[in-house]
Amino acid sequence: QVQLAESGGGLVQPGGSLRLSCATSGSTAGSMSWFRQAPWKEREFVASTTSSGGLSYYADSVKGRFTISRDSIRRPAYLQMNNLKPEDTAVYYCAARLNRLVGVPRADQFAYWGQGTEVTVSS
């Protein structure tokens, strides 16, 4: 079992930055990811990293603006979001799985999810 708790969401103006955190407890997660879900849309992949941040993957829509990091398997995972756009507005969810996953993941490959943190990009 892996317990996850996100924090760091909020209201930010276009072009601004936020850093989301995902604290973990329980078993060690082999891979951790961020997904997001905007109103009236399906949940979509944002970024993923393996244990200790060895391999990282990003959705095309966030490449060059978002950075996922994880210093060690016992430390939180972070999502640094820069140059935010209104279309980044969504509830952001942290997800984890026990086994390491290589490649861009799907939501159904993760067994553990946080409660979500809301990000609103608006002037």
Side-chain angles (χ1 to χ4, degrees):
Q1 288 274 352
V2 179
Q3 292 78 44
L4 305 172
E6 303 100 332
S7 61
L11 173 64
V12 63
Q13 292 186 343
S17 298
L18 282 175
R19 189 176 82 153
L20 305 184
S21 298
C22 178
T24 67
S25 59
S27 299
T28 301
S31 286
M32 295 183 70
S33 290
W34 289 94
F35 289 79
R36 67 186 181 186
Q37 188 166 17
W40 315 113
K41 292 187 177 182
E42 293 185 355
R43 190 169 297 189
E44 64 174 1
F45 167 73
V46 176
S48 183
T49 187
T50 57
S51 55
S52 301
L55 293 173
S56 299
Y57 305 91
Y58 296 92
D60 288 342
S61 59
V62 306
K63 280 181 182 176
R65 300 188 298 122
F66 290 11
T67 303
I68 189 171
S69 62
R70 187 183 180 199
D71 295 336
S72 73
I73 59 175
R74 289 297 182 187
R75 295 289 294 165
Y78 300 98
L79 185 68
Q80 177 67 42
M81 306 186 295
N82 297 328
N83 190 22
L84 282 160
K85 303 176 181 181
E87 51 263 42
D88 295 318
T89 295
V91 177
Y92 284 71
Y93 296 91
C94 179
R97 53 180 282 142
L98 297 181
N99 296 325
R100 184 170 170 263
L101 181 66
V102 177
V104 175
R106 304 185 311 271
D108 62 5
Q109 293 176 306
F110 292 85
Y112 307 103
W113 292 83
Q115 80 286 354
T117 185
E118 190 167 359
V119 172
T120 302
V121 185
S122 175
S123 55

